[in-house]
Amino acid sequence: MTRARPRPVVIFLVCSVLFLAGLGSSSLWDVDETRNARAAEEMMQRGDLVVPTVNGEVRAHKPPLHYWFMILAYKLFGVREFSARVFAALFGLGTVLLVTSVGVNALGSGAGLLAGLVLGVSFLFTVSSRSATTDAFLVFFTNAAVLAGYFSSRGRLWTVAAWAAMGFAVLAKGPVGVVLPLGALILFRLTDGHGPRGLLGLFHPAGILVFVAIAAPWYVLAAARTEGDLVAGFFLKHNVGRFLKPMESHGGPIYYYLAILLPGFFPWAAFLPQALSHGFRSPRFAGRFPGFLRLQVIWAGVVLVFFSLARTKLPNYILPAFPALALLTGAWIDSLGASPKVGFRGRTVSWLVTLLPAAFFPALFTVALTMRAPEFVSLAWLSVPLAAAGLVGLVGHLRRMAPSPVFRAVAYTTAVGELFIHFFLVPRLEPLRMAPRLGRAVSRTAGPSDTVASLGFSRPALYFYGKRPVVRVGDEAAVRAFLAEPGGRFLVATEELFGRLPADVRGSLKVLESGLDALDTNAFVLVAERVGPGAGPGVRPPGKGEGKDGGGGG
């Protein structure tokens, strides 16, 4: 009897809706999304595809691949939230299709289709596929490199494809784009029974030349254009520095990512011990694709160990391991018998453990909104459908339903729950996010040559939504000097620091927008326009341009 399995078209449609629906319905999040989006916009405005800048300052955090895709989207759809995020969504969808197609060929249709579904609805993977960040690009290219590298012993084209993918991964995120996948492939080749001889096919000169041709030109040009500062800052500070010490308060214990996996790889994390054990025990030499699952164990292990040892830690760093974990999970689910054993052991315990992150999501929203914005706490119920996924799995298991349909039901319930969060909950939190609102107030009121300064509140969203650089001022004297200059002047500040300014300074400023920045700084902030004598032609008369708050980034 043929086992029921998810249909490819259903997986594609579910992931397409999950990644693309409402992609532009919420403002970009500080700080990464807004920095990336603004950097791409400034590069486009200058006609410069080499040196990224934010607020007019060189940005050495990331290579340019995601900026290039954002610029393409800006030219196609305009500068807005959807444009900044759409290629991340498409690369996320591409990773799902990659995992599904390779999984079907290497593991069989049941395991491959389940792997694609597992990956597509994993919580953190879904978030990254809806974000204007580098993660979706890095995940796609590093996993393409590992999967192509598996076949490197079967022909030169696979080797070249692997190195090409690593070249693009280096353009997406830097050295980790080659260090991690190449490290995993070397470990695999050394343990697949061929010893050092197995490395010969991997290090083919043609592949290495392709890698250099893809990855090197931008680094050479960027170094030449900035006298080496951009590349040195990128490698030394944002790669070596982040590995050796915590940066921007992003540290954590060595077991940090074990805790992150529970909500991040929800709803599958509790089953990883069984999936990893199944993959590790898979045949090393037998079958059409010997050692394929063992490679996934090695690849996931390399990513997790590397970033666990790094001193700077962020949840998204381990995303490159998710496709491997999905393949292992799909293969394990497909191997299960039709009649599950029910008792306080094995899968029963895993389903019970899954209830912990399931309860985490509504609890998190409830506590956060209660502390920051009690009037919005009723919105927390929109995260309940996501929590229901764990309960669906436990009930199906206790009723002795066949494992594959139960896991599919959990996947589809998770997808609905994530859609509730991304499409319904997050957009309703917009009133609590002041930086985009202040930036839009400047954009719709200021003239082309008007200038903005910030006092105690400087967020990248001000640059992206305000459509102009922001000057930082630190005290009363700097504020007076700023306001004394000719032309239109706008001041963004916390209400606390604004209230400390002398009465004559405050009297020359008209508040355009103010409110509590509840989801970020938890400070009351405002934007004020200079009015009165000396304001200059760039400043609108009081009342002009104070229409309804605009929507996107232009």
Side-chain angles (χ1 to χ4, degrees):
M1 184 170 124
T2 304
R3 281 190 189 181
R5 56 177 65 97
R7 297 177 181 273
V9 66
V10 173
I11 298 173
F12 177 78
L13 290 175
V14 166
C15 292
S16 296
V17 172
L18 198 52
F19 298 167
L20 291 165
L23 203 58
S25 62
S26 62
S27 302
L28 299 177
W29 291 88
D30 278 325
V31 292
D32 287 339
E33 278 200 306
T34 46
R35 280 177 178 167
N36 292 332
R38 181 59 181 170
E41 185 178 13
E42 290 186 16
M43 291 176 79
M44 182 177 71
Q45 290 171 345
R46 301 193 323 270
D48 184 355
L49 296 179
V50 177
V51 180
T53 61
V54 174
N55 204 34
E57 301 172 355
V58 174
R59 175 168 165 79
H61 292 61
K62 302 288 187 298
L65 186 65
H66 64 304
Y67 301 141
W68 294 342
F69 279 106
M70 284 185 189
I71 291 171
L72 175 59
Y74 289 165
K75 291 183 177 293
L76 292 174
F77 309 114
V79 180
R80 48 177 49 92
E81 293 92 343
F82 174 85
S83 306
R85 293 167 172 157
V86 65
F87 274 104
L90 294 177
F91 271 89
L93 190 59
T95 304
V96 172
L97 296 177
L98 174 69
V99 166
T100 302
S101 60
V102 174
V104 166
N105 281 280
L107 304 172
S109 58
L113 292 170
L114 282 166
L117 188 59
V118 165
L119 178 64
V121 304
S122 299
F123 182 75
L124 192 56
F125 183 81
T126 301
V127 172
S128 73
S129 298
R130 297 178 59 90
S131 302
T133 60
T134 62
D135 298 312
F137 304 90
L138 178 70
V139 172
F140 176 83
F141 286 115
T142 52
N143 280 275
V146 170
L147 294 172
Y150 171 81
F151 298 102
S152 62
S153 60
R154 304 191 177 195
R156 182 187 305 176
L157 287 179
W158 288 111
T159 303
V160 172
W163 282 98
M166 286 188 279
F168 285 114
V170 169
L171 279 179
K173 194 85 172 190
V176 293
V178 63
V179 170
L180 297 184
L182 187 59
L185 289 169
I186 289 173
L187 286 175
F188 175 67
R189 287 301 175 203
L190 290 176
T191 58
D192 70 349
H194 294 90
R197 290 185 297 107
L199 298 178
L200 295 178
L202 186 61
F203 286 93
H204 196 284
I208 296 173
L209 285 173
V210 168
F211 169 81
V212 172
I214 292 172
W218 176 80
Y219 288 93
V220 173
L221 288 172
R225 289 274 305 278
T226 61
E227 299 181 347
D229 290 346
L230 191 157
V231 174
F234 172 67
F235 281 108
L236 297 180
K237 179 180 179 181
H238 293 288
N239 283 271
V240 177
R242 286 180 182 271
F243 189 87
L244 295 178
K245 62 181 181 180
M247 292 185 63
E248 300 169 346
S249 301
H250 295 147
I254 197 166
Y255 54 82
Y256 174 88
Y257 290 111
L258 295 180
I260 289 298
L261 277 172
L262 266 179
F265 199 58
F266 179 83
W268 321 110
F271 303 95
L272 286 178
Q274 296 100 308
L276 288 166
S277 174
H278 175 262
F280 192 77
R281 290 184 288 106
S282 64
R284 292 178 60 186
F285 310 114
R288 185 181 172 196
F289 297 98
F292 180 80
L293 287 179
R294 290 175 65 88
L295 172 60
Q296 307 313 312
V297 174
I298 292 172
W299 170 225
V302 165
V303 174
L304 291 168
V305 170
F306 180 87
F307 287 113
S308 293
L309 293 176
R311 299 297 300 279
T312 301
K313 292 180 171 66
L314 283 170
N316 55 299
Y317 283 0
I318 58 169
L319 277 166
F322 277 34
L325 297 178
L327 285 163
L328 291 163
T329 303
W332 171 72
I333 295 172
D334 191 58
S335 72
L336 297 175
S339 301
K341 295 179 180 179
V342 175
F344 198 72
R345 53 180 290 179
R347 266 176 280 161
T348 305
V349 173
S350 294
W351 283 120
L352 290 171
V353 172
T354 302
L355 294 179
L356 296 177
F360 168 81
F361 294 108
L364 174 67
F365 282 110
T366 300
V367 171
L369 292 174
T370 299
M371 293 175 62
R372 293 288 184 92
E375 67 275 20
F376 285 83
V377 73
S378 61
L379 293 178
W381 75 268
L382 288 168
S383 63
V384 171
L386 181 59
L391 193 59
V392 167
L394 179 62
V395 170
H397 174 70
L398 294 178
R399 293 185 63 183
R400 299 180 183 276
M401 295 176 61
S404 184
V406 170
F407 281 98
R408 292 204 313 273
V410 169
Y412 296 137
T413 306
T414 301
V416 171
E418 290 170 337
L419 198 59
F420 264 71
I421 289 177
H422 296 304
F423 194 72
F424 297 112
L425 193 157
V426 172
R428 296 188 184 189
L429 299 177
E430 282 295 305
L432 305 179
R433 303 175 58 199
M434 285 304 300
R437 289 175 61 188
L438 300 185
R440 291 182 182 116
V442 169
S443 180
R444 68 174 179 260
T445 308
S449 61
D450 294 351
T451 308
V452 182
S454 65
L455 176 65
F457 183 78
S458 182
R459 310 298 292 173
L462 297 175
Y463 324 145
F464 180 76
Y465 289 101
K467 299 303 173 191
R468 66 201 66 233
V470 176
V471 179
R472 296 179 182 87
V473 292
D475 53 27
E476 176 192 336
V479 173
R480 286 187 180 277
F482 170 74
L483 295 176
E485 296 176 4
R489 290 291 180 268
F490 292 79
L491 179 68
V492 176
T494 64
E495 286 193 358
E496 179 184 3
L497 293 178
F498 185 80
R500 293 179 186 177
L501 294 174
D504 64 312
V505 175
R506 285 184 280 113
S508 68
L509 293 163
K510 178 178 181 290
V511 175
L512 301 176
E513 187 88 53
S514 65
L516 175 64
D517 187 45
L519 294 189
D520 193 353
T521 62
N522 201 31
F524 285 92
V525 294
L526 57 86
V527 59
E529 175 186 10
R530 185 184 64 184
V531 294
V539 176
R540 308 293 191 272
K544 187 173 181 180
E546 296 181 12
K548 186 178 178 181
D549 187 28

